[in-house]
């Protein structure tokens, strides 16, 4: 039996699934997780909260996740209310719900490549057409280019990613505002890495008043170090959340997830203390690369896109042989590395020095 023998949807035939390698190596810097170990007190508190929630598992969870939404709104600040916040199993599920409600067959989404590779995958999964807008050679996206693409393609959903994965740089809010001014559809700003942005970077959350078609997505997978929890969320006008209720699965967010996420938010200051340490390692990577004859893209995220390779794939494999797993994002000449702990960053830089000068 082979996938080709199944009555699969025509538009899925021949496609590849998302699949960053999950390899058991000493230094894993390929999926932009937070490498820092979780505080013991947090682990104990999660275990206790999950234990309490377990006693209620005969009942469906709160389908509105009211308490969690209140906590998320409080974390974000900006005068946001719980009615503007909506959580799901990772921001990937949030993005899927957005496309289920606002994309779908006969509709199109526009993104600006290179960007988060899952945006087009979720578009395909929801039967939404995908249009690749382009970036300048230095991976920046100007308001002028973004507006031109929106005017040309008239998308139902526009994806902006800030800080952008895999390039790392945050967008100026004037780009978001310019897109909002001309887009007739929804405008999603994927801010999965917002907490790592350099000082002075403004979040698209500040644009929510007066922009009911703006959706800002966030996650606890990165800065909070909770990738395994699967908790992402969006912030938008409450009417957008009403629309998502039409497509979300009933009781999509487990009572255990809700309980654990609330504990993690309560430990927010402790968890987020790692952000400054990670930013320091990111900036250290950027500072060290020129010494190795390599260049990088300015980063507001917990990773660095760096290049100057004749054969990036060969360097990726050579680093893996040294026990360091990073990401080949498919951009010729470039590789992406997550900023980890200080020892991990040292291991990466030492291995890179060895293989880059070999
Ligand atoms: N958006 C971006 C830009 C990402 O890089 C990621 C994770 N790599 C996600 C969303 C999804 O994260 P999660 O589903 O874990 O919230």
């Amino acid at each position: 039996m082979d996938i080709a023998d199944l009555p699969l949807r025509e538009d899925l035939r021949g496609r590849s699934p998302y699949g960053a390698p999950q390899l058991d190596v000493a230094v894993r810097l390929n999926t932009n997780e937070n490498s820092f170990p979780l505080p013991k007190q947090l682990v104990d508190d999660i275990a206790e909260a999950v234990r309490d929630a377990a006693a209620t598992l005969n009942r469906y969870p709160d389908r509105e996740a009211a308490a969690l939404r209140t906590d998320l709104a409080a974390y974000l600040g900006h005068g946001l209310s719980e009615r503007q916040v909506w959580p799901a199993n990772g921001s990937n599920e949030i993005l899927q719900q957005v496309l289920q409600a606002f994309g779908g067959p006969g509709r199109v989404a526009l993104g600006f490549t290179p960007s988060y590779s899952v945006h087009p995958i979720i578009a395909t999964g929801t039967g939404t057409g995908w249009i690749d807008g382009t970036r300048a050679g230095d991976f920046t996206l100007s308001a002028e280019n973004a507006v031109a693409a929106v005017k040309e393609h008239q998308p139902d959903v526009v994806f902006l990613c800030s800080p952008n994965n895999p390039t790392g740089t945050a967008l100026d809010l004037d780009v978001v505002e310019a897109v909002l001014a001309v887009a007739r559809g929804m405008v999603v700003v994927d801010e999965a890495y917002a907490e790592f942005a350099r000082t002075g970077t403004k979040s698209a959350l500040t644009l929510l008043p007066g922009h009911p078609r703006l959706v800002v997505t966030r996650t606890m997978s990165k800065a909070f170090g909770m990738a395994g929890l699967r908790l992402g969320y969006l912030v938008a006008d409450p009417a957008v959340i009403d629309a998502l209720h039409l497509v979300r699965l009933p009781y999509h967010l487990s009572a255990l997830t809700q309980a654990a996420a609330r504990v993690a938010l309560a430990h927010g200051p402790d968890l987020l203390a790692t952000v400054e340490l990670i930013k320091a390692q990111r900036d250290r990577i950027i500072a060290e690369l020129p010494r190795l004859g390599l260049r990088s893209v300015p980063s507001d995220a917990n990773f660095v896109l760096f290049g100057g390779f004749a054969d990036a794939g060969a360097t990726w494999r050579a680093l893996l042989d040294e026990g360091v797993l990073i990401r080949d994002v498919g951009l010729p000449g470039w590789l992406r590395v997550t900023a980890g702990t200080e020892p991990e960053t040292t291991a990466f830089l030492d291995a890179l020095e060895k293989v880059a000068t070999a």
Side-chain angles (χ1 to χ4, degrees):
M1 184 68 176
D2 187 271
I3 190 169
D5 304 322
L6 292 168
L8 187 66
R9 272 165 41 187
E10 281 308 321
D11 61 338
L12 295 180
R13 286 189 185 275
R15 300 237 173 210
S16 309
Y18 173 85
Q22 289 194 300
L23 303 175
D24 190 14
V25 296
V27 181
R28 291 197 307 185
L29 300 173
N30 72 325
T31 47
N32 300 338
E33 294 150 325
N34 184 328
S35 287
F36 282 83
L38 295 171
K40 182 175 179 315
Q41 189 61 51
L42 166 80
V43 175
D44 289 346
D45 290 354
I46 287 182
E48 199 183 320
V50 165
R51 189 192 152 83
D52 289 348
T56 70
L57 288 180
N58 56 316
R59 300 292 180 189
Y60 284 112
D62 174 12
R63 158 178 88 207
E64 291 304 311
L68 174 59
R69 288 165 73 184
T70 301
D71 292 354
L72 286 167
Y75 159 65
L76 289 171
H78 292 281
L80 292 165
S81 93
E82 69 285 356
R83 294 177 57 244
Q84 293 167 279
V85 179
W86 178 248
N89 296 282
S91 49
N92 285 334
E93 188 183 24
I94 289 289
L95 297 170
Q96 184 179 49
Q97 291 181 351
V98 169
L99 283 183
Q100 284 177 315
F102 299 104
R107 292 187 164 210
V108 293
L110 167 73
F112 295 91
T113 307
S115 191
Y116 182 39
S117 62
V118 173
H119 294 156
I121 292 176
I122 296 176
T124 302
T126 57
T128 312
W130 178 259
I131 296 163
D132 261 338
T134 51
R135 288 170 181 267
D138 62 358
F139 304 122
T140 56
L141 176 63
S142 68
E144 198 186 349
N145 286 354
V147 163
V150 171
K151 283 187 172 164
E152 180 185 349
H153 300 291
Q154 297 288 317
D156 299 282
V157 181
V158 181
F159 283 101
L160 299 172
C161 190
S162 179
N164 187 49
N165 180 9
T167 57
T169 320
L171 269 184
D172 278 342
L173 282 194
D174 58 358
V175 182
V176 182
E177 283 187 283
V179 167
L180 280 166
V182 294
R184 61 176 176 81
M186 303 300 289
V187 176
V188 177
V189 184
D190 182 335
E191 291 194 350
Y193 300 96
E195 287 91 346
F196 299 103
R198 286 169 291 181
T199 314
T201 310
K202 276 196 169 167
S203 163
L205 291 174
T206 58
L207 297 179
L208 282 167
H211 290 115
R213 286 177 292 103
L214 172 63
V215 172
V216 182
T217 62
R218 294 280 189 105
T219 182
M220 294 184 74
S221 298
K222 311 296 180 183
F224 276 89
M226 286 279 135
L229 177 63
R230 310 307 299 127
L231 199 291
Y233 51 101
L234 65 67
V235 192
D237 190 285
V240 174
I241 295 167
D242 289 345
L244 298 189
H245 278 74
L246 303 173
V247 297
R248 62 104 168 88
L249 293 176
Y251 316 107
H252 68 295
L253 203 56
S254 141
L256 304 181
T257 304
Q258 294 185 38
R262 293 193 66 204
V263 174
L265 283 164
H267 284 260
D270 259 10
L271 289 171
L272 294 172
T274 61
V275 166
E276 288 308 317
L277 304 173
I278 292 165
K279 284 165 70 178
Q281 295 310 311
R282 168 194 74 197
D283 296 341
R284 175 182 167 211
I285 294 169
I286 290 174
E288 288 288 322
L289 288 169
R291 199 172 53 79
L292 306 178
L294 298 167
R295 61 182 188 277
S296 61
V297 180
S299 178
D300 291 290
N302 65 340
F303 56 84
V304 178
L305 187 73
F306 62 106
F309 301 107
D311 182 349
T315 305
W316 180 84
R317 275 186 302 278
L319 286 169
L320 187 56
D321 289 342
E322 298 293 320
V324 179
L325 176 62
I326 65 165
R327 190 72 166 270
D328 182 350
V329 290
L331 281 177
W334 296 89
L335 292 169
R336 191 194 72 191
V337 63
T338 308
T341 60
E342 184 174 0
E344 284 176 330
T345 305
T346 302
F348 160 69
L349 287 169
D350 288 353
L352 185 63
E353 177 155 18
K354 187 169 165 194
V355 307
T357 52

